[in-house]
Amino acid sequence: MSHKKLAMFDPALLKPAIVDSFRKLNPAVQWRNPVMFVVYVGSILTTALWAQALAGQGEAPAGFILAIALWLWFTVLFANFAEALAEGRSKAQAASLRGLKKETLAKKIKGANATDTWVTVPATDLRKGDVFIVHSSETIPADGEVIVGVASVDESAITGESAPVIREAGGDFSAVTGGTRVLSDWLVVRVTVNPGETFVDRMIAMVENAKRQKTPNEIALTILLVALTIVFLGVTVTLLPYSMFGVSVAKAGTPISITVLIALLVCLIPTTIAGLLSAIGVAGMSRMMQANVIATSGRAVEAAGDVDVLLLDKTGTITLGNRQATNFLHAAGVKEAALADAAQLSSLADETPEGRSIVVLAKDKFNLRGRDVRELGAHFVHFTAQTRMSGVDLDGREIRKGAAEAVRAYVAERGGHFPPEVEMIVEQVAKRGSTPLVVAESAGGGARVLGVVELKDVVKGGIKERFAELRRMGIKTVMITGDNRLTAASIAAEAGVDDFLAEATPEAKLKLIREYQAEGRLVAMTGDGTNDAPALAQADVAVAMNTGTQAAKEAGNMVDLDSNPTKLIEVVETGKQMLMTRGSLTTFSIANDVAKYFAIIPAAFVTTYPQLAALNVMGLASPASAILSAVIFNALIIMFLIPLALKGVKYQPRGAAALLRRNLAVYGLGGLIAPFIGIKLIDMLIAVAGLA
């Protein structure tokens, strides 16, 4: 799916978010956030008190009560706006997904194979188990598995990648998605889902339902915030009788007003984090979507942030996945340049990544450029599963390259022998975790071995540094490969992973995940094949490749639309960013509240206890100005923090202890200082304007 990156305050999102902010004033909606519901009730009460003051029965000046009431309503609206803006970003993504759902027709096959006739039916009439045929330039009408044929498919509508992909029957690249388009040839597909259950349908549901799902950590934090609110509510309620008692005993002063008590309560309870909590969760899901990863729930995103073991497939994740020629190892009596020349000649018609890399290596080392030898009557011999060799016949020479056993048999048939030193080279290359490709030539009735081309599955650049970052975060990396232990150990050492699982089978993967989980660790892994499904179902964070089988996608709790196995690292970083954002803003909110106490508590009770004026450390203009300034700051800080909640705290690969120290230094200390500066500035503006 081609996701355009949404701007932080996209004009197309602002107007609907403002409208939704007012719609969310519905009590049934407000009740879902208990902390903000207290502010909502306080807004209603102060509005009623203002109406009473207008009738001449006010406990405080009507203008003061109105100002408090308005800013309490703004506090609720700003919190609503933060949530609505985050939801608006998700709705925009869902709308782009809906654009993929078009009314299409399907060629439903009546019989059991592709040669039978078909009938044209609406795509919505297809059911699980039905079979349809789709030809070049036609849109695939439903999700399914290819059972006959091979074709080039344009999946840019889903993945955003313009390069077409090959889909064919059998293997791990047989899954097709409704809404994609066949570019060449034809496919016979068996439908794997019913209408409303397609991949696009599930993506839309995941995005739209993101705002209604709470993660375990979010629920726990909400319980904590509610508990704090209940405590402060109890404290605030008891302050009125204490104030009345103090005035009656001292025979001086005036009791605290209900308006001031409501303002005090709102400033005491953790409104900042409560107002942004939902937005943080929805924004986390949105960031995952922008990375082209679909998460089934916020729980999966959060689990990614808590992961401490990563299981990574070797091929395509740690290594490039395509073996590259890295060295020419010549036999005795043969020059390395002669071996390189023969290897290049035998690879000129070889379009595989291995063949192209041999041509490039010969050019780089010996300046041997590709030649058009067809003009010289060259006959290319292509690789087959039977011969396990490829090569070229040119000027009476037969040049072959292939597996050691195949070349040994080829040389023996022509009266040659396989040199012991080449046998030793083959063994050494295999021990290094590389693949030996033996080159031989036959001419004039004899055959000889020229040497070995070393093919290596090259470790991706920068991957070792990424693993070092993960290690600093306390995450263990485990490489999974079907290679033997010797090869696996060599690649694991070069890549810098912490551990490896060699000769991996589905049972071995499942056993390894369960062992880590038994130790209380959270495990993440990627997979694309049916044989990966059991392990994906067991893993805490399971990222299935979009190009993989239906079984893999159903077993995972995330789907990577780009089918990039290294995306797992990005998924973990996004999950950790969401947790860091929530933790940072919680720290800031609590520190904020501590600072606000110094502004509002002395001002609230100075009419009852004049001695509290000594605690006016900020030198605020008047008690009324101090209270109003604290309420205004309490509302505005939510607006100022919305960009941070949506964008997320910048991810840094550090351990938990280092992150905690940074959190306390930046957001704890910042949360303490900001209210002193903010409230003082607001107080000065109020004093200059003569509003209090």
Side-chain angles (χ1 to χ4, degrees):
M1 177 179 51
S2 182
H3 295 298
K4 70 173 184 177
K5 192 167 183 180
L6 295 169
M8 186 62 63
F9 292 107
D10 191 325
L13 301 180
L14 283 178
K15 186 176 179 180
I18 292 171
V19 173
D20 281 348
S21 300
F22 286 92
R23 285 178 181 162
K24 287 176 179 288
L25 291 176
N26 184 333
V29 176
Q30 290 297 313
W31 176 250
R32 296 173 192 166
N33 189 334
V35 178
M36 295 311 299
F37 184 71
V38 171
V39 183
Y40 176 74
V41 172
S43 305
I44 295 172
L45 284 176
T46 48
T47 304
L49 290 171
W50 170 65
Q52 188 180 48
L54 287 178
Q57 300 176 348
E59 52 171 13
F64 173 73
I65 299 176
L66 175 62
I68 295 293
L70 286 175
W71 280 102
L72 290 184
W73 281 116
F74 281 136
T75 304
V76 176
L77 287 170
F78 290 162
N80 290 350
F81 178 75
E83 184 177 22
L85 192 60
E87 290 173 1
R89 290 158 66 89
S90 291
K91 288 175 183 176
Q93 290 168 333
S96 69
L97 287 169
R98 277 201 187 86
L100 300 178
K101 297 191 66 178
K102 300 172 183 176
E103 289 296 326
T104 57
L105 297 176
K107 297 174 180 176
K108 182 179 176 182
I109 293 177
K110 290 183 176 181
N113 57 64
T115 60
D116 290 324
T117 58
W118 62 77
V119 293
T120 302
V121 299
T124 51
D125 288 353
L126 292 175
R127 296 292 183 272
K128 188 174 182 179
D130 288 346
V131 177
F132 63 84
I133 186 169
V134 58
H135 293 92
S136 176
S137 301
E138 294 179 348
T139 299
I140 297 173
D143 294 2
E145 294 276 355
V146 178
I147 56 176
V148 179
V150 56
S152 175
V153 179
D154 175 12
E155 294 189 339
S156 59
I158 297 291
T159 66
E161 293 293 330
S162 57
V165 295
I166 300 299
R167 291 289 172 263
E168 57 187 332
D172 293 340
F173 298 94
S174 60
V176 291
T177 305
T180 57
R181 190 165 60 93
V182 174
L183 297 178
S184 68
D185 304 292
W186 52 269
L187 297 171
V188 176
V189 181
R190 179 181 290 113
V191 180
T192 53
V193 295
N194 289 317
E197 300 173 0
T198 66
F199 183 62
V200 173
D201 287 322
R202 284 186 289 134
M203 285 197 294
I204 293 171
M206 291 168 196
V207 174
E208 290 184 330
N209 292 337
K211 61 181 179 292
R212 291 192 288 272
Q213 297 171 337
K214 286 192 176 183
T215 63
N217 282 352
E218 190 176 346
I219 292 170
L221 182 56
T222 301
I223 292 171
L224 174 63
L225 298 180
V226 170
L228 289 173
T229 302
I230 291 172
V231 169
F232 285 124
L233 183 61
V235 169
T236 307
V237 168
T238 60
L239 289 176
L240 181 59
Y242 274 117
S243 175
M244 295 173 67
F245 176 75
V247 169
S248 65
V249 170
K251 307 297 183 185
T254 56
I256 189 170
S257 67
I258 295 177
T259 301
V260 171
L261 277 178
I262 293 172
L264 175 64
L265 174 62
V266 170
C267 289
L268 289 179
I269 61 178
T271 51
T272 306
I273 185 60
L276 296 171
L277 192 57
S278 179
I280 294 169
V282 178
M285 294 283 288
S286 179
R287 284 195 296 275
M288 199 69 82
M289 279 285 292
Q290 287 178 351
N292 254 12
V293 177
I294 303 296
T296 56
S297 68
R299 184 186 297 263
V301 180
E302 187 174 272
D306 285 330
V307 158
D308 50 13
V309 177
L310 283 185
L311 302 186
L312 300 157
D313 190 44
K314 182 202 79 173
T315 306
T317 304
I318 294 173
T319 63
L320 292 174
N322 295 324
R323 294 176 300 174
Q324 306 285 310
T326 58
N327 209 358
F328 294 118
L329 305 167
H330 58 92
V334 179
K335 292 184 177 180
E336 186 180 353
L339 168 62
D341 181 63
Q344 188 187 62
L345 283 171
S346 67
S347 303
L348 290 175
D350 187 348
E351 292 301 320
T352 64
E354 294 92 336
R356 289 195 296 270
S357 72
I358 292 173
V359 174
V360 171
L361 182 63
K363 176 185 173 183
D364 291 343
K365 292 193 73 172
F366 300 101
N367 200 30
L368 295 172
R369 300 190 175 274
R371 293 147 278 179
D372 188 0
V373 293
R374 287 185 176 87
E375 296 179 357
L376 302 176
H379 171 68
F380 289 105
V381 179
H382 297 284
F383 177 88
T384 67
Q386 289 74 30
T387 63
R388 299 180 66 196
M389 293 189 302
S390 63
V392 64
D393 296 339
L394 175 67
D395 294 335
R397 296 168 64 198
E398 290 183 2
I399 303 173
R400 298 291 184 270
K401 71 176 192 293
E405 296 81 4
V407 174
R408 184 185 290 109
Y410 170 82
V411 171
E413 285 176 6
R414 285 156 179 75
H417 74 285
F418 203 89
E421 69 269 16
V422 175
E423 193 80 61
M424 189 176 298
I425 291 172
V426 169
E427 290 180 7
Q428 290 172 346
V429 169
K431 286 181 180 179
R432 288 199 291 268
S434 301
T435 301
L437 201 63
V438 181
V439 180
E441 70 170 357
S442 173
R448 64 170 182 157
V449 177
L450 301 178
V452 176
V453 180
E454 182 176 359
L455 298 176
K456 188 176 181 182
D457 196 355
V458 180
V459 172
K460 288 183 176 179
I463 198 76
K464 191 169 187 176
E465 290 72 21
R466 294 293 296 274
F467 289 151
E469 288 181 4
L470 293 170
R471 196 173 297 112
R472 286 195 294 272
M473 292 162 53
I475 296 176
K476 181 178 182 178
T477 52
V478 181
M479 182 185 78
I480 299 177
T481 176
D483 294 334
N484 60 60
R485 286 191 60 81
L486 200 60
T487 302
S490 172
I491 296 174
E494 184 179 354
V497 295
D498 299 313
D499 202 353
F500 64 89
L501 175 66
E503 300 173 350
T505 62
E507 294 79 12
K509 295 177 190 176
L510 191 60
K511 181 174 179 289
L512 182 65
I513 292 173
R514 286 174 174 168
E515 286 174 356
Y516 280 122
Q517 289 174 333
E519 297 172 6
R521 309 181 82 166
L522 288 182
V523 181
M525 75 165 287
T526 60
D528 58 4
T530 301
N531 63 340
D532 291 322
L536 287 170
Q538 183 67 37
D540 299 287
V541 176
V543 183
M545 302 295 101
N546 187 42
T547 55
T549 62
Q550 190 69 24
K553 286 193 275 191
E554 289 178 356
N557 51 25
M558 293 188 186
V559 177
D560 176 21
L561 301 181
D562 296 331
S563 299
N564 176 8
T566 58
K567 189 73 70 68
L568 181 58
I569 298 174
E570 190 176 338
V571 166
V572 171
E573 290 176 353
T574 303
K576 284 194 174 293
Q577 185 186 38
M578 189 179 83
L579 294 180
M580 286 168 57
T581 303
R582 188 184 298 153
S584 299
L585 292 184
T586 300
T587 303
F588 185 89
S589 177
I590 293 173
N592 233 288
D593 291 340
V594 172
K596 282 184 287 188
Y597 302 162
F598 286 93
I600 197 165
I601 291 180
F605 290 96
V606 72
T607 56
T608 305
Y609 305 104
Q611 298 86 347
L612 289 177
L615 295 179
N616 184 15
V617 293
M618 285 188 266
L620 301 177
S622 68
S625 174
I627 293 166
L628 185 56
S629 298
V631 172
I632 294 173
F633 177 84
N634 192 61
L636 291 179
I637 198 64
I638 295 176
M639 282 296 292
F640 280 114
L641 291 176
I642 287 176
L644 185 61
L646 297 182
K647 187 178 179 181
V649 172
K650 186 178 179 181
Y651 166 78
Q652 292 186 329
R654 297 182 180 181
L659 284 174
L660 178 61
R661 286 194 298 271
R662 181 180 179 277
N663 243 9
L664 291 175
V666 176
Y667 296 98
L669 187 60
L672 280 172
I673 295 172
F676 285 99
I677 298 172
I679 291 173
K680 180 61 180 177
L681 288 175
I682 295 170
D683 175 75
M684 291 168 65
L685 290 173
I686 290 173
V688 169
L691 298 176

